[in-house]
Amino acid sequence: MSNFSELMDRSRATRARARKTVNAVMLGLTGVLTLLALVPLFWIIGYVVIRGGKAITPGFFLNMPTPMGVAGGGVRSAIEGTLVVTLLAAIFAIPPGVLAAFYAARYPNTPLGIALRFSTDVLAGIPSIVVGLFVYIVIVIPTKHYSALAGGAALAMLMLPTIIRTTEEMLKLVPHTLREASLGLGAPEWKTSLSVVFPAAVNGILTGFLLALARAAGETAPLLMTALGNERFDIGQIVTGGIQGHQSVFTIIGRIINQPVDSLPLALWKYAQQPYPERVELAWAVALVLMLFVLIVNVTARVWIQVRTRKMKG
Amino acid sequence: MQNRKTISPNSLRGRLLRPLHHGDRPWQGLLIVISALVIVLMLAIGGLLWTQSAGARTAFGWTFLTPTATPTWDPVNDHFQAWPFLYGTLLTSLFAILFALPVGIGIAIFLAELCPGWLRTPLTWLVELLAAIPSVVYGLWGIFVFLPEVVAPIGAFLGNTLGQIPVLGTLFAGPIPASGSSRLAASLVLTIMIIPTIAAVTRDVFLAIPNSQREAAKALGATEWETIWQVLIPYGKSGILGAVILGLGRALGETMAVTMVIGNSIQGGISLLQPGYSMASIIANEFAEAVSQLHTSAMIEIGLVLFVITLLLNILARYLVWQVARQTPQEARS
């Protein structure tokens, strides 16, 4: 009998040891997996910085693209195009996004509110290339040409769900007492929303805009069938030409947004697939610019949120 | 609405403004119109993709989407079948989920349960930065660095081992192209791209599990790992499934990185190690240069299929969330 209990004890001890080993191995593995996932991050950042850094010169920012096989080209048209397209996207997406967020935050449980949140989720999940097809059908087919306008609309549709969601979250964080105090003082609902609730949440909302813009600026797929790409896009030329021709400001703006434009991600995609080494070098430089922009915006936005929440808590 | 007395109700101004409730009616009207527009936008995407794909739908019917051993995609003779693209998208996305799920759960466990406090925020940020890098940058790095240095050796290894097994071998039939461009390359790049999504959602799931679950498991003598594996993961399995759905949605629609590494060929058979094509990448490559109405229409139908798949995934995710909210005891919800 004592022999048996000894045996039991021993097997229990072995089992305990086995369980402890499994525990240590698996917990260690989770740490290893975390490190493993970060390897590509540092690999990409490091490689892009080294390869792209070599190709970055003042000419890279200032020169127009040169014909294939000719060295010394820059990506000014792509930089200008990116600015135009993202600016248009912000103009199209921010006002309706904020208003829809007001509705979603104020009336979350009405049928319209539920439908709105569902649509926002669906819009956020739609592949960006499908958004490109939609804008192609809605804008490019009727106007019969590719344009910066269509590109901006496509990026706006990608930004819209992000803007609605983050703004809604931020509006919900504003204490109810603030809204009630304003209403109690006799301010109408709209005035309470715009001049009390909105300013209280404005920091978080702006951060949301920034993050949405950074994502949109890196998008390529929907621009393929909307903005198309245009290596000769040159705002300076359009503006000076317009002034010399005594055109109105609206005509000039119209000419800028009504023609196909290049953008940095589009240029990167094209250059990466061309057999000319100087174009590939340009692609790496574009990658560096894009990546730095996105990373800097992301890190600043996060630090900002962190600081704000700490301030609000403390 | 509580402020009708600020302007005398009998003055002319008061009487004119009354139906407006001091601007509240127009304000509410504006909010309702804009919100309705967002919903209309969502519906319009489905509706317009449906009507604009009519050409391809009537010309090819279901044969457009059904499996076929000898697919044709022939813009010159206007004959299109989308099976190779569907297959490429599904295969690469499923393998990406298969690779990313264990890594994502591992990261989530580490971040939510084990990581010391000072390391948690920076590590979370770094993982999320992976999701912020534009997909063309992934593609560029993929073509010049990741494919030749990582994918090609892994592919050669898989072809020599799994590729030799009788039935399963057809899925891993080599040899992988020297450049590395293949469905495997697309799967691995997608894996890297969806890890942050899966890790972030799963981490939130773990953080939402009430502490009483952990305390109960440990009081019964469970080790840390047993607590995680036998208590926390079963408890959060719906949420983890939600993470998988989100990751899958991202993988299915990812365009640029996949287009740059998958090899863009419809001749690749069924093997993971061969070049393939995906639904998003055929649209990216050919849409702007479509040669005929039917060609455009066929690609719009591919877009429609992508839209429907992501819509269904979204409804499924909503349903899961609703189920969890209904079944979770009150204590966990706070």
Side-chain angles (χ1 to χ4, degrees), chain B:
Chain B
M1 277 171 243
Q2 295 85 334
N3 47 301
R4 305 227 172 113
K5 292 236 169 78
T6 43
I7 296 173
S8 161
N10 293 321
S11 71
L12 180 63
R13 197 164 157 236
R15 254 179 290 161
L16 280 177
L17 286 179
R18 195 175 302 146
L20 300 180
H21 290 259
H22 304 282
D24 273 354
R25 279 287 150 82
W27 170 249
Q28 265 184 348
L30 180 67
L31 293 192
I32 288 174
V33 168
I34 298 278
S35 306
L37 278 179
V38 175
I39 298 163
V40 169
L41 189 67
M42 191 267 291
L43 297 174
I45 295 176
L48 282 176
L49 290 176
W50 175 261
T51 54
Q52 294 288 321
S53 62
R57 280 187 289 113
T58 49
F60 309 118
W62 285 107
T63 58
F64 189 68
L65 302 174
T66 44
T68 161
T70 51
T72 37
W73 183 264
D74 187 354
V76 180
N77 296 315
D78 256 350
H79 197 265
F80 303 103
Q81 281 172 308
W83 172 249
F85 316 118
L86 253 160
Y87 178 74
T89 297
L90 294 180
L91 188 77
T92 52
S93 303
L94 289 180
F95 269 96
I97 290 285
L98 209 63
F99 298 143
L101 189 61
V103 184
I105 292 183
I107 295 171
I109 291 171
F110 187 75
L111 289 177
E113 306 291 326
L114 307 172
C115 178
W118 58 270
L119 199 60
R120 182 172 290 167
T121 317
L123 271 186
T124 310
W125 281 15
L126 285 177
V127 172
E128 285 176 9
L129 275 187
L130 265 180
I133 294 178
S135 84
V136 267
V137 177
Y138 273 109
L140 185 70
W141 173 77
I143 294 176
F144 291 99
V145 185
F146 189 58
L147 262 57
E149 288 181 25
V150 177
V151 177
I154 290 182
F157 173 76
L158 285 179
N160 291 334
T161 50
L162 291 178
Q164 308 303 321
I165 302 170
V167 180
L168 188 70
T170 48
L171 200 55
F172 296 96
I176 192 167
S179 66
S181 297
S182 58
R183 298 192 182 109
L184 177 69
S187 306
L188 289 174
V189 171
L190 283 175
T191 304
I192 302 173
M193 298 180 77
I194 64 175
I195 280 176
T197 314
I198 294 184
V201 178
T202 312
R203 187 193 70 118
D204 289 345
V205 169
F206 279 120
L207 289 179
I209 296 176
N211 255 335
S212 53
Q213 297 289 325
R214 298 181 182 86
E215 286 155 6
K218 286 192 184 147
L220 289 173
T223 60
E224 185 76 44
W225 174 251
E226 284 161 350
T227 308
I228 293 167
W229 190 246
Q230 294 171 11
V231 178
L232 300 187
I233 290 187
Y235 192 101
K237 62 177 185 297
S238 304
I240 296 173
L241 193 55
V244 168
I245 292 174
L246 277 175
L248 191 59
R250 211 179 155 206
L252 290 171
E254 179 47 52
T255 311
M256 304 319 294
V258 170
T259 309
M260 289 162 95
V261 301
I262 201 170
N264 296 331
S265 156
I266 64 165
Q267 308 300 345
I270 65 165
S271 170
L272 188 67
L273 303 183
Q274 297 300 320
Y277 227 136
S278 85
M279 296 161 82
S281 50
I282 182 73
I283 303 175
N285 273 331
E286 293 190 1
F287 195 81
E289 282 121 34
V291 292
S292 68
Q293 286 278 337
L294 201 57
H295 194 190
T296 307
S297 168
M299 281 186 273
I300 291 178
E301 185 174 348
I302 293 175
L304 177 71
V305 174
L306 268 178
F307 174 76
V308 171
I309 294 175
T310 45
L311 187 70
L312 291 180
L313 286 179
N314 231 296
I315 292 172
L316 185 61
R318 282 256 145 179
Y319 176 74
L320 283 175
V321 171
W322 176 73
Q323 280 253 314
V324 175
R326 213 182 45 162
Q327 286 172 357
T328 311
Q330 204 67 42
E331 167 212 30
R333 260 189 242 171
S334 58

Side-chain angles (χ1 to χ4, degrees), chain A residues 126-206:
Chain A
I126 293 177
S128 59
I129 190 126
V130 175
V131 170
L133 288 176
F134 173 71
V135 174
Y136 175 86
I137 295 169
V138 172
I139 298 184
V140 178
I141 292 183
T143 60
K144 297 195 175 62
H145 59 85
Y146 299 99
S147 62
L149 190 74
L155 294 188
M157 281 185 61
L158 294 174
M159 288 171 67
L160 192 65
T162 324
I163 289 179
I164 296 180
R165 266 199 207 147
T166 49
T167 311
E168 183 194 344
E169 292 304 314
M170 294 299 147
L171 290 176
K172 276 187 187 159
L173 287 182
V174 176
H176 268 295
T177 46
L178 214 60
R179 165 183 292 277
E180 284 159 11
S182 165
L183 292 172
L185 286 171
E189 175 79 29
W190 64 271
K191 204 162 192 181
T192 305
S193 295
L194 286 182
S195 54
V196 177
V197 178
F198 186 73
V202 76
N203 276 300
I205 294 175
L206 286 180

